[in-house]
Structures are given as C-alpha cells and as structure tokens.
Amino acid sequence: MIDLTSKTALITGSGRGIGKEIAVKLAAAGANVAISDIDLETAKATAAEIAGAYKIKTIAVAADASKAADVEKMFADTLEAFGGKLDILINNAGITRDGLLMRMKEEDWDLVLNINLKSAFLCCKEATRTMMKARSGKIINIASVVGLMGNAGQVNYSASKAGMIGLTKTLAREFASRSINVNAIAPGFIKTAMTDKLTDAEKEKLASGIPMAKLGEPVDVANAALFLSSALSDYITGQVITVDGGLVM
C-alpha cells in the first residue's frame, strides 16, 4: 500500500474530472492536497468533499494557471497553508479548442498553448524553488497520447501536449541531481465530461481502435499519478507513461 502521509501535493485543474480523481487518490494515501481550479466554488466543494472523506488537510485555490501572477499567489497560499512544504506538483490544467488548421483561429491556438503548456512552465518554475531547497520532489505533467502521435483537428492541443513531453524530459535532466523526479502521464481516450458528449456509436468507434477495446476511466490515470508521486518511483525520471489501453505502443 502506498503511504503519502505527511506529504503535500498541489494539483492544477483538480476541481473536477481527472484532476479531482488524482486528488482523491493522493488524499486516500494520506497526502494533504491543494485543490486548484479557475472556478473557486468548484475547488471549494471538491476540497471539502475530500477533507471530509479522508481526514487530511485541504485548501482550495482559485487560479488561472496560465498567468504568472495567479501562479505566484497559488504557490504562496499553498506554502503558507502547508508550512512551506510542497512535495508533489501535478500539472493537470488543460482545455481543448478543436479545429482543422485552415479554420483554426489564432486566439484558439494561443489559448490552448497558454493554458496547457505555459501553465506547466510557470508551475514547474515555482515548484522547483521549494523542491530544490528540500532536495526532493515529484513533478507529474498530464500530457496526452496525441502529443505522441498527433490527431487531426487538434493541432493546438497536440502541440501543447508534445511541448509538455519536451518540458518533462528537459526538466528531468536539469533537476535529477537534486532528487526531483519529473515524469509525464499520457492518457488515451478516458471517460470524462468531454467523452460523455459523444454518441454511443462514436464511443464504440473510439473503442474499436484500442487494443483493450474500451475507454479508460479517470481512476486509471489517477493510479499512475499515485505511483509516480510515491517512493516507488524514486529511480524513474524523464519518462512518459501512456495510460491508453495499448493505443500507442
């Protein structure tokens, strides 16, 4: 059993969906968690739910993780709440604005790159200040299989996730000597609010291209994040773990 008692974690975009599931997994293992979301009420509800269920300390922080000032305040609030301690950062904030290249608006490119990739850059920069002093830390970037293989109609999203993978590998090299592990998780097609909008026929078509013949669950991604947050992954860095039912091999 993984024990994260006395550890502290900050998870961006964790008010709902995969981010929330990761927060639940870490809290169940004993970690105190900062729930960050652009929607403060959602973050507060999730923080209260998790604190009540697992008797750990949580805080809710409202932040647009693509803005430096918001990120600086988010980290200041988190460090203040948890006694200057941060052991785990999970960069999960992300959006989509899909469209074919010839029809994509420049603002949709900028928005996706800023929220998905710039946010990870800003958060990693803040987190490593604290982790370097402690000579310890786990950073996990939630990328995507489309960052590995591309996907028609998602040039902005694919580019942002490929960028996260490059960011992960570079930071792993920069901080390995300080015992800071930096890894990425690349989910495949996971059952979320996004896939809930698809018809049954569309879901079946997606599943047919997956060797395990089914969509994943948020908990599948959370389990990988739990492992990478723990001491079991201490000799693993710069890696991309695909959680995709065999879609990318």
Side-chain angles (χ1 to χ4, degrees), residues 154-231:
Q154 288 194 307
V155 64
N156 49 2
Y157 186 76
S158 298
S160 72
K161 295 303 184 177
M164 287 186 81
I165 291 169
L167 176 78
T168 298
K169 291 180 176 291
T170 299
L171 295 188
R173 291 183 181 276
E174 289 188 8
F175 294 103
S177 65
R178 300 299 182 96
S179 298
I180 299 172
N181 303 73
V182 188
N183 292 290
I185 297 172
F189 296 116
I190 306 296
K191 293 178 183 176
T192 62
M194 192 183 304
T195 58
D196 285 345
K197 297 175 183 177
L198 301 176
T199 65
D200 288 341
E202 288 171 329
K203 291 177 185 177
E204 288 176 11
K205 184 178 180 180
L206 282 179
S208 68
I210 301 170
M212 293 187 75
K214 62 179 181 179
L215 274 63
E217 302 281 351
V219 70
D220 296 319
V221 180
N223 283 334
L226 176 62
F227 167 71
L228 290 175
S229 298
S230 76

Side-chain angles (χ1 to χ4, degrees), residues 5-242:
T5 302
S6 82
K7 301 294 185 182
T8 63
L10 168 61
I11 308 162
T12 66
S14 53
R16 59 175 70 83
I18 290 173
K20 179 179 178 179
E21 195 67 39
I22 292 171
V24 167
K25 275 288 177 181
L26 269 56
N32 296 315
V33 292
I35 304 297
S36 170
D37 202 278
I38 198 165
D39 183 341
L40 181 58
E41 293 309 310
T42 299
K44 284 181 176 179
T46 295
E49 178 185 336
I50 292 173
Y54 300 105
K55 312 305 178 187
I56 48 86
K57 184 175 181 178
T58 65
I59 63 166
V61 187
D64 178 343
S66 69
K67 295 181 178 178
D70 280 23
V71 170
E72 288 171 9
K73 186 176 187 307
M74 174 177 70
F75 274 85
D77 290 347
T78 299
L79 291 172
E80 181 180 2
F82 298 125
K85 198 169 183 290
L86 180 66
D87 303 288
I88 302 158
L89 167 67
I90 299 178
N91 287 308
N92 172 72
I95 63 164
T96 58
R97 290 292 185 275
D98 295 347
L100 295 172
L101 174 66
M102 299 305 293
R103 298 175 184 170
M104 183 168 289
K105 297 176 182 178
E106 184 178 351
E107 53 264 37
D108 286 339
W109 170 272
D110 290 343
L111 185 64
V112 170
L113 267 291
N114 283 338
I115 292 178
N116 295 7
L117 181 56
K118 183 182 177 183
S119 66
F121 157 72
L122 292 172
C123 290
C124 286
K125 192 172 183 180
E126 289 295 324
T128 50
R129 298 182 198 277
T130 300
M131 292 177 176
M132 282 179 69
K133 292 177 183 177
R135 299 189 71 87
S136 175
K138 306 279 188 177
I139 296 175
I140 302 157
N141 295 320
I142 306 301
S144 169
V145 292
V146 303
L148 295 168
M149 66 181 194
N151 194 34
Q154 288 194 307
V155 64
N156 49 2
Y157 186 76
S158 298
S160 72
K161 295 303 184 177
M164 287 186 81
I165 291 169
L167 176 78
T168 298
K169 291 180 176 291
T170 299
L171 295 188
R173 291 183 181 276
E174 289 188 8
F175 294 103
S177 65
R178 300 299 182 96
S179 298
I180 299 172
N181 303 73
V182 188
N183 292 290
I185 297 172
F189 296 116
I190 306 296
K191 293 178 183 176
T192 62
M194 192 183 304
T195 58
D196 285 345
K197 297 175 183 177
L198 301 176
T199 65
D200 288 341
E202 288 171 329
K203 291 177 185 177
E204 288 176 11
K205 184 178 180 180
L206 282 179
S208 68
I210 301 170
M212 293 187 75
K214 62 179 181 179
L215 274 63
E217 302 281 351
V219 70
D220 296 319
V221 180
N223 283 334
L226 176 62
F227 167 71
L228 290 175
S229 298
S230 76
L232 295 177
S233 66
D234 280 355
Y235 199 56
I236 299 172
T237 198
Q239 302 305 304
V240 181
I241 297 180
T242 54

